[in-house]
Amino acid sequence: MRELRLIGGYAKSRWLHYAAGILALAAVDLMNVYIPQFTGQITDGLKAGTIGMDGVWRLIGLIILMGAAMAAGRFGWRYFIFGAALDVRRRLQEDLFAHLEKLSMRYYNEHKTGDLMAHFTNDMRSVQMLMGPTVVTAFDATVMLVMVLGKMMFYVDMRLTLVAVIPLLLIMYGDYYYGKVMHRKFFAKQRAFSDLTDQVQEAVSGIRVIKAFVQERQELAAFARVNRLNQDRNMAVARTQALFMPLLDLVIGVSGLLTLLYGGYLTIAGEITLGQFEAFNLYIAMLVWPMLAAGECITFISQGMASLKRIRTILDEKPEIVDGAEVKDVAALRGEIDLDGLTFAYPDQEDVTVLDSIRVHVDQGSTLAVLGRTGSGKSTLANLLLRLYDAKSDMIRIDGRPICEIPLSVLRRDVAYVPQESFLFSDTLERNIAFGAERKSREEIQRAARDACIHSNIMDFPEGYDTMVGERGVTLSGGQKQRSAIARALLKDAPILILDDALSAVDTDTEEQILHNLRRNRAGRTTIIIAHRISTIQNADRILVLDEGRAAEYGAHEELMALGGIYRSIHDKQQLEKQLREEGGEEA
């Protein structure tokens, strides 16, 4: 099975640990099966008068020594096997996380965060159980079964062994059926847990919206539904386990009853000794563990294989954006950009053209502004320049090269990007600004913050740059988050800077100061500003006006004003809105 090949690759590197653990486990089992034999010898020796107290104490001392050795062996197999299982889990988690980082944006558009989180919690725990307790249980049960049956047949009596074992054969069929049922039910249980995780994650992330719209009761009802489903799926697993274990005990009880009846008869008939009969009953008690272990083992295997199947589904996903065979050795970007008939539609909506035949040339060190109504393709253009999505070959060229010939590591290193929704990590402001530029000094970080007009706000916080911003920057205002993200991009000091409506939450005075700082500090570097306010972009070298994915107008501010088209219309409307706001403020 593919799941076994997947996990086998991780276990292979730890084969020495598994081998040492299994040897320790085998030694423990071997010593364990001799203890009933020694007990039987003591009983028979005392009854026949063939053993004295010296012999009894010798056998007792041997049992004690074996007990101490078994304790050391149990520590050994736990250390080696469970330690190897933890290492397998760690490396699988790291590989899964690394693979998620490589997957394209389409994958995250189609999969929920809570579902992905469940793979790192419940699924990984099940894999660890598969590679640890399951290995121990399966090997221990098999070895114990073989050793105990051998002692029962050759030390006691073959006939009695057959009578005792016949009922236990029923367990083999039960184990097979139980395993199939458990695999199906556990897979459903893991899906329900993923839905529950996702519901909690979305509710916590959107708690402000929930409170603002007084939707607490509705969200609680939605949570109760997925929580009830999760409970039902867990109860289905628990019911199956609860049904199987008593049946297992029943079969073991029948085996014990047959042993008592037939073994008692053989003892009375003198065909086996009392000590042998006593030892045989101890062996029957020892057989209980392999039988119970079979059920446990099937549970762990079913859970582990179901989880591995879910994890393998992610690992089988192929990244869409990768370095292909056409990649060249590019040391750094200069910043010259050409869009040559750029046409694009998203993979899952290929019948909807988002960008249509865009032709633009951006000189190195110049500023291109992109203006357009909502849905006109502005952010899509930014995503394509970062290769978060791929357009057709040769439609985008940077420094004269098709973008697909530039290594992804170089492209994303030399392009600084501030998205519409500024994301801050749950960390200090200093580390958020220095994200991606960790080697920068505190002075350089503060300089970038000043250029982004956020330094004074930061210094107003009691802990300054060491202020924790909370999850997604929840403790900051929208404008503060945007300016922190701009500071992060400026600190990167990349040849190309893309601001995707990154000034929408700041006031006009602050906006003007930030733009002034950009013009001063980014001389010789290319800047692309995507905005919806004319005031943000009017000083750009060239302005591209998008309308339903097409390049409706292109030129400098004065040229576009003279055209009297879309740009002029947007400008006049915004000027009228500004005038009305100012008049309203004076009246107030």
Side-chain angles (χ1 to χ4, degrees):
M1 296 176 68
R2 295 176 63 193
E3 286 79 16
L4 290 178
R5 287 198 298 270
L6 168 65
I7 203 64
Y10 291 94
K12 187 176 180 180
S13 63
R14 286 283 175 172
W15 73 270
L16 281 174
H17 284 73
Y18 278 109
I22 287 173
L23 285 175
L25 185 58
V28 170
D29 288 342
L30 182 61
M31 289 183 284
N32 203 18
V33 296
Y34 274 95
I35 292 177
Q37 181 178 332
F38 293 155
T39 304
Q41 289 175 355
I42 292 173
T43 301
D44 286 341
L46 289 174
K47 181 181 178 182
T50 58
I51 186 173
M53 288 306 298
D54 288 342
V56 171
W57 284 114
R58 182 176 61 81
L59 288 173
I60 290 175
L62 189 58
I63 292 172
I64 292 173
L65 286 175
M66 280 190 171
M70 287 166 60
R74 287 193 174 100
F75 171 81
W77 65 251
R78 281 183 170 86
Y79 175 80
F80 286 113
I81 297 179
F82 288 178
L86 278 170
D87 184 70
V88 168
R89 173 178 177 169
R90 175 188 62 81
R91 289 187 292 122
L92 181 58
Q93 282 178 320
E94 289 176 357
D95 288 349
L96 180 62
F97 188 84
H99 187 72
L100 285 173
E101 287 187 315
K102 296 175 185 176
L103 292 180
S104 307
M105 295 304 298
R106 178 191 59 80
Y107 183 83
Y108 293 98
N109 293 338
E110 297 173 356
H111 293 80
K112 296 181 178 181
T113 304
D115 189 24
L116 297 177
M117 289 295 296
H119 292 300
F120 286 90
T121 52
N122 266 17
D123 284 330
M124 287 296 175
R125 190 180 305 115
S126 296
V127 171
Q128 181 185 338
M129 294 295 288
L130 176 66
M131 300 308 298
T134 305
V135 172
V136 172
T137 302
F139 182 82
D140 190 34
T142 303
V143 171
M144 282 291 291
L145 184 65
V146 172
M147 288 183 176
V148 169
L149 287 176
K151 282 292 184 181
M152 290 167 69
M153 288 188 292
F154 300 114
Y155 174 66
V156 184
D157 185 82
M158 177 74 74
R159 296 165 299 171
L160 182 57
T161 301
L162 291 175
V163 170
V165 168
I166 286 174
L168 301 180
L169 296 177
L170 296 173
I171 295 175
M172 295 179 63
Y173 174 76
D175 285 348
Y176 171 75
Y177 177 75
Y178 176 66
K180 291 178 64 176
V181 173
M182 281 297 294
H183 181 83
R184 184 178 67 253
K185 292 190 174 182
F186 187 79
F187 196 86
K189 169 190 166 183
Q190 292 294 74
R191 280 286 344 154
F193 179 77
S194 295
D195 294 340
L196 179 66
T197 306
D198 191 68
Q199 181 71 28
V200 174
Q201 187 271 333
E202 282 195 347
V204 173
S205 298
I207 191 65
R208 289 185 173 185
V209 178
I210 292 172
K211 288 180 175 293
F213 285 85
V214 199
Q215 293 296 299
E216 291 92 342
R217 183 168 297 179
Q218 288 79 355
E219 286 298 311
L220 178 59
F223 174 79
R225 283 194 296 272
V226 295
N227 197 30
R228 172 67 67 178
L229 178 63
N230 183 61
Q231 180 189 14
D232 292 342
R233 295 291 185 267
N234 277 273
M235 283 302 299
V237 172
R239 278 195 299 268
T240 304
Q241 291 175 318
L243 179 63
F244 181 76
M245 293 304 173
L247 290 176
L248 195 63
D249 290 337
L250 176 62
V251 175
I252 294 171
V254 170
S255 176
L257 178 61
L258 293 176
T259 299
L260 184 62
L261 293 175
Y262 188 55
Y265 166 75
L266 293 177
T267 303
I268 293 171
E271 297 190 31
I272 62 173
T273 66
L274 179 62
Q276 287 176 316
F277 182 52
E278 180 185 6
F280 192 88
N281 279 285
L282 291 175
Y283 285 133
I284 285 292
M286 292 174 67
L287 273 183
V288 172
W289 157 242
M291 296 300 105
L292 292 174
E296 267 189 31
C297 195
I298 289 170
T299 299
F300 292 153
I301 290 174
S302 299
Q303 293 177 353
M305 296 303 288
S307 292
L308 275 174
K309 185 175 181 180
R310 283 161 48 83
I311 292 170
R312 182 181 56 78
T313 300
I314 298 179
L315 293 175
D316 284 347
E317 286 281 340
K318 301 298 181 185
E320 297 171 359
I321 312 298
V322 294
D323 285 335
E326 66 275 14
V327 167
K328 309 297 182 184
D329 185 14
V330 180
L333 302 182
R334 298 191 307 274
E336 181 183 349
I337 301 172
D338 284 289
L339 306 181
D340 187 9
L342 177 59
T343 301
F344 178 76
Y346 285 102
D348 54 343
Q349 298 177 344
E350 294 184 355
D351 56 331
V352 180
T353 301
V354 182
L355 292 174
D356 188 5
S357 303
I358 306 296
R359 285 181 169 79
V360 171
H361 174 78
V362 184
D363 289 322
Q364 176 187 346
S366 65
T367 299
L368 171 70
V370 183
L371 180 72
R373 299 181 178 90
T374 301
S376 59
K378 303 187 299 297
S379 295
T380 299
L381 178 59
N383 290 334
L384 292 173
L385 290 172
L386 284 161
R387 281 197 72 194
L388 298 179
Y389 296 93
D390 259 344
K392 292 182 180 179
S393 178
D394 292 346
M395 286 186 175
I396 302 176
R397 305 177 75 88
I398 299 180
D399 299 339
R401 294 179 181 273
I403 194 171
C404 59
E405 293 184 4
I406 302 171
L408 278 171
S409 58
V410 174
L411 176 67
R412 293 175 182 170
R413 181 199 66 197
D414 288 355
V415 177
Y417 174 54
V418 183
Q420 284 183 340
E421 297 181 7
S422 303
F423 185 93
L424 297 183
F425 297 92
S426 183
D427 207 335
T428 64
L429 276 164
E430 179 176 6
R431 289 177 182 165
N432 266 288
I433 294 173
F435 183 76
E438 287 79 5
R439 296 183 179 180
K440 299 291 186 178
S441 65
R442 171 63 75 91
E443 290 73 20
E444 291 173 303
I445 294 171
Q446 291 182 352
R447 189 182 308 121
R450 287 190 180 93
D451 290 339
C453 297
I454 187 66
H455 174 75
S456 59
N457 290 137
I458 294 175
M459 297 310 296
D460 287 338
F461 296 135
E463 297 182 33
Y465 280 84
D466 294 322
T467 300
M468 295 291 294
V469 300
E471 187 177 8
R472 294 175 179 265
V474 68
T475 58
L476 303 181
S477 68
Q480 289 171 337
K481 284 194 286 188
Q482 278 194 339
R483 283 175 285 155
S484 298
I486 292 171
R488 175 194 293 165
L490 293 178
L491 183 64
K492 193 175 180 181
D493 196 26
I496 300 174
L497 171 64
I498 302 175
L499 302 177
D500 186 1
D501 210 8
L503 297 168
S504 59
V506 302
D507 58 79
T508 53
D509 291 338
T510 304
E511 177 188 67
E512 289 179 7
Q513 183 60 48
I514 294 173
L515 293 172
H516 171 76
N517 295 338
L518 285 176
R519 288 191 293 272
R520 185 186 74 242
N521 297 325
R522 287 196 55 80
R525 293 175 176 83
T526 303
T527 303
I528 298 176
I529 302 176
I530 298 171
H532 67 274
R533 287 200 303 235
I534 297 291
S535 60
T536 308
I537 63 173
Q538 60 186 2
N539 293 319
D541 297 307
R542 308 297 286 175
I543 300 171
L544 171 65
V545 181
L546 292 177
D547 184 37
E548 295 184 354
R550 295 182 178 85
E553 298 171 4
Y554 181 63
H557 173 73
E558 292 79 9
E559 297 171 348
L560 297 181
M561 288 294 291
L563 284 176
I566 296 175
Y567 185 86
R568 178 60 180 266
S569 174
I570 295 174
H571 175 273
D572 292 345
K573 287 180 181 178
Q574 291 183 359
Q575 286 296 110
L576 178 60
E577 290 171 358
K578 180 181 178 181
Q579 181 181 348
L580 291 173
R581 283 196 301 270
E582 290 174 351
E583 291 176 356
E586 290 174 0
E587 291 177 3

